[in-house]
Amino acid sequence: MADDEEDIILSELDDEELVQQMHDDLYDGLKEEIEEGVNILLERGWTPYKILTEALVGGMTIVGVDFRDGILFVPEVLLAANAMKGGMAILKPLLAETGAPTIGRMVIGTVKGDIHDIGQNLVTMMMEGAGFEVKNIGINNPVESYIEACAEFDADILGMSALLTTTMPYMKVVIDALVEQGLRDNYIVLVGGAPLNEEFGKAIGADAYCRDAAVAVETAKAMMARKHNQMAAG
């Protein structure tokens, strides 16, 4: 009998309790519960955007903080991000219909010669979890792939990842090409990957070096806010 009492019936929770439970379920990577929670809130008349920001982004923010502070690790974050994806799959078409605002648009990919993608997949999921639209162009990307994707996607942010010391310098090749083509000022350029550091990011002309996915989200949010303020002032 005790088991039955411990089972939480999501539909019996009030809105506030349900959102709190969804934060816990996201943290625990429970995809089906998140999908159920999203559907319940939709039935209750919540807007897709409100569900995204309060239930999903709110929950992923906690995941991001604990990842940054070393309480959660990559496998747990990937589980949480996967649960988030389940909720997003329901909300995405609805958000598109309502023209809900996004914080910004990002193109991300690993540079030419490098085939590592766990880090940038994590950044992709965390950025989506924070309300950004992300186009992930995968691994082994030459200059042209980045520039084409940024133009097609109307990106605000370009994210580059490298896991090898031998492929790091290619980031500068991409940034130099943006400068040559007069496109550098169009994008916030964020770089990351195990062998990089802040000095390297500065030396190649990136806007910021992000040591992990949580920092990437914080940096992107701060830089987008600044960009919006400058546009408003201009």
Side-chain angles (χ1 to χ4, degrees):
M1 201 43 220
D3 283 355
D4 294 343
E5 283 169 17
E6 282 173 21
D7 277 349
I8 295 166
I9 314 284
L10 295 180
S11 57
E12 290 177 2
L13 301 177
D14 67 30
D15 288 5
E16 203 174 318
E17 291 167 338
L18 179 55
V19 167
Q20 207 48 57
Q21 185 59 43
M22 286 173 75
H23 289 180
D24 292 348
D25 289 345
L26 255 184
Y27 198 91
D28 296 335
L30 304 175
K31 186 177 180 182
E32 284 176 17
E33 283 82 347
I34 289 299
E35 291 167 346
E36 189 187 339
V38 167
N39 282 321
I40 291 168
L41 288 174
L42 284 170
E43 281 164 23
R44 290 183 187 176
W46 279 47
T47 65
Y49 187 66
K50 188 177 181 190
I51 299 171
L52 171 68
T53 50
E54 293 186 23
L56 300 184
V57 175
M60 280 304 278
T61 304
I62 304 162
V63 172
V65 168
D66 281 2
F67 176 54
R68 184 194 66 203
D69 295 344
I71 298 164
L72 285 179
F73 298 97
V74 169
E76 291 131 323
V77 175
L78 287 172
L79 272 175
N82 192 46
M84 164 94 191
K85 254 190 167 162
M88 283 297 290
I90 300 166
L91 292 178
K92 257 193 176 154
L94 302 172
L95 287 165
E97 279 170 29
T98 54
T102 55
I103 301 181
R105 298 163 74 82
M106 178 186 203
V107 164
I108 188 169
T110 308
V111 295
K112 189 175 176 183
D114 208 315
I115 55 167
H116 295 85
D117 65 358
I118 289 178
Q120 55 121 329
N121 283 340
L122 199 55
V123 173
T124 299
M125 290 179 185
M126 296 282 281
M127 291 290 285
E128 287 183 339
F132 285 85
E133 282 186 60
V134 185
K135 183 184 180 75
N136 189 323
I137 56 172
I139 55 173
N140 195 19
N141 285 291
V143 169
E144 299 75 27
S145 299
Y146 285 112
I147 291 176
E148 277 168 27
C150 283
E152 278 170 24
F153 196 58
D154 192 21
D156 301 295
I157 301 168
L158 168 59
M160 288 188 280
S161 165
L163 259 285
L164 304 170
T165 47
T166 49
T167 56
M168 280 164 56
Y170 196 79
M171 292 178 165
K172 186 172 184 332
V173 175
V174 176
I175 292 173
D176 288 348
L178 288 173
V179 172
E180 279 163 26
Q181 296 184 30
L183 301 170
R184 177 63 189 86
D185 292 343
N186 296 1
Y187 309 114
I188 295 164
V189 178
L190 305 180
V191 295
L196 279 69
N197 57 33
E198 211 159 313
E199 286 78 332
F200 177 78
K202 285 198 178 100
I204 62 168
D207 289 297
Y209 151 74
C210 305
R211 66 183 161 80
D212 63 35
V215 174
V217 170
E218 287 170 16
T219 306
K221 276 182 168 173
M223 291 195 161
M224 284 304 297
R226 216 175 309 159
K227 187 174 173 178
H228 286 312
N229 290 341
Q230 283 167 351
M231 282 161 67

